[in-house]
Amino acid sequence: MKKRGIGMLLPLWVWTLLFVVFPMGYILLLSFVSGDAFGIRYVFTLDNYRRLLSADLLACVVRTLKMSGLTTLFALLAGYPFAYFMARAKKRWRTTLLLLIVIPFWTSALMRMFGWRIFFESNGVFNGVLKWFHDLWYGFLRLFGGYADGMPKYRPVKLLYTRGLVLFGMVYTMLPFMVLPIYSSVEKQDVSLREASRDLGANPFVSFLTVSLPLSLPGAISGCVLVFVPSMGLFFVNQILGGGKVNYLGDLIDYYIKGGRDWALSAAMSMTILVLTFLSMAIYRRFSGGDEMGVF
């Protein structure tokens, strides 16, 4: 039986070695060797990590952490109410709402980002709707009294290539990763606990604060980790909606691999993200009591 158990685990071990341990080990090795525009030289050095402490790269790390933190915060503020009421909705509505969250996974994230880019362009749908309301108000003022003579012409609202739109795209992309863990946490709660708090005299708001919210915190913390960690390397949103005007760690990794040909520095940046990921996981285990990070 013991040999049979080892044999059943062998494919898992092989898969882990090939697709987890070996790639991460290779990236770790690259981060401690020297590199130039033509490739890498396997000479041990700490220069790659020293370069991360330079003013520009350190500012990029701080900027990345700030953007990831804001993405997590706004995803939590938008995702928690939706997940909570979705879990409390009737079963037929619950399934429909859950599909609305899952359906974006079935389409390309790049396609969705380019769709938002077209939507927010100066001559896109968003500015087209604003211009229509502007012209409607202009016509209304001319029709009733001729007060439109001094009204300025419509100027398109510049949203494309701004940090605000990049943040919007990040939150939009990562929102399902926040909603699903919270939904799972709230949906599994024992209804009798809320009913008991109501029987003891608590109003709905107090019942939520004392029963539902504490029980849903593991799901919320899990969602924060699932959003914060990928946000640090999600470079395509910034390049499409922000035009790459402000660089984050993901953008620099992409640049130094494709354009700068400095794989060693890219590996050091990747290891930095990996260390931040482990720190996030440690914080999650500390505040969630070591619960598994499940979605369903």
Side-chain angles (χ1 to χ4, degrees):
M1 294 294 294
K2 186 176 181 180
K3 292 182 178 180
R4 182 180 178 183
I6 294 176
M8 294 179 65
L9 291 175
L10 185 60
L12 176 61
W13 291 345
V14 173
W15 188 93
T16 303
L17 288 172
L18 289 178
F19 299 106
V20 179
V21 176
F22 177 74
M24 290 177 59
Y26 184 62
I27 293 175
L28 178 63
L29 173 64
L30 286 181
S31 69
F32 286 104
V33 299
S34 59
D36 52 31
F38 300 101
I40 55 176
R41 298 187 300 272
Y42 290 96
V43 179
F44 180 82
T45 180
L46 294 176
D47 288 343
N48 299 313
Y49 290 97
R50 292 194 187 99
R51 291 171 66 185
L52 288 178
L53 298 178
S54 64
D56 293 339
L57 292 181
L58 196 58
C60 180
V61 173
V62 174
R63 193 162 52 241
T64 301
L65 292 175
K66 182 179 179 180
M67 177 59 73
S68 300
L70 289 174
T71 300
T72 304
L73 175 62
F74 283 105
L76 178 62
L77 294 176
Y80 189 95
F82 184 85
Y84 182 82
F85 289 109
M86 181 172 66
R88 299 288 301 275
K90 294 182 179 180
K91 190 173 182 180
R92 59 189 180 92
W93 287 109
R94 195 184 311 167
T95 304
T96 303
L97 293 172
L98 189 60
L99 279 176
L100 292 177
I101 292 295
V102 176
I103 282 176
F105 283 110
W106 300 347
T107 58
S108 170
L110 290 174
M111 184 184 300
R112 285 181 276 133
M113 285 302 104
F114 277 111
W116 283 119
R117 177 175 176 173
I118 295 172
F119 183 84
F120 285 111
E121 282 182 342
S122 297
N123 57 347
V125 177
F126 181 79
N127 275 289
V129 173
L130 292 183
K131 186 178 184 303
W132 182 83
F133 278 109
H134 176 275
D135 294 343
L136 182 66
W137 182 246
Y138 177 82
F140 177 81
L141 293 179
R142 278 193 78 176
L143 184 64
F144 296 96
Y147 296 105
D149 295 337
M151 187 174 180
K153 294 183 179 181
Y154 176 76
R155 294 183 178 180
V157 179
K158 182 175 176 55
L159 292 174
L160 201 61
Y161 306 140
T162 62
R163 293 190 184 185
L165 190 58
V166 173
L167 178 60
F168 168 81
M170 295 279 285
V171 174
Y172 167 78
T173 303
M174 304 308 301
L175 189 60
F177 295 95
M178 180 66 73
V179 170
L180 294 178
I182 297 176
Y183 165 78
S184 176
S185 181
V186 175
E187 197 268 338
K188 293 177 181 178
Q189 292 179 8
D190 191 351
V191 181
S192 62
L193 296 176
R194 292 195 298 267
E195 295 175 349
S197 67
R198 298 295 299 275
D199 292 339
L200 293 173
N203 57 45
F205 181 70
V206 174
S207 178
F208 168 77
L209 289 180
T210 57
V211 178
S212 300
L213 181 60
L215 292 177
S216 64
L217 282 181
I221 298 174
S222 174
C224 289
V225 175
L226 291 175
V227 170
F228 181 79
V229 171
S231 296
M232 290 185 289
L234 205 63
F235 65 92
F236 69 90
V237 176
N238 179 46
Q239 293 184 357
I240 295 175
L241 298 182
K245 292 184 177 181
V246 178
N247 287 323
Y248 299 96
L249 269 180
D251 301 285
L252 290 183
I253 293 173
D254 178 67
Y255 168 75
Y256 281 112
I257 289 178
K258 295 180 179 178
R261 300 284 293 176
D262 196 339
W263 294 0
L265 181 59
S266 299
M269 293 180 184
S270 301
M271 292 307 300
T272 302
I273 294 180
L274 188 61
V275 170
L276 294 174
T277 300
F278 286 148
L279 288 176
S280 302
M281 296 295 297
I283 294 173
Y284 168 79
R285 293 184 63 86
R286 171 66 178 83
F287 288 98
S288 67
D291 295 335
E292 292 184 0
M293 194 179 299
V295 174
F296 297 103

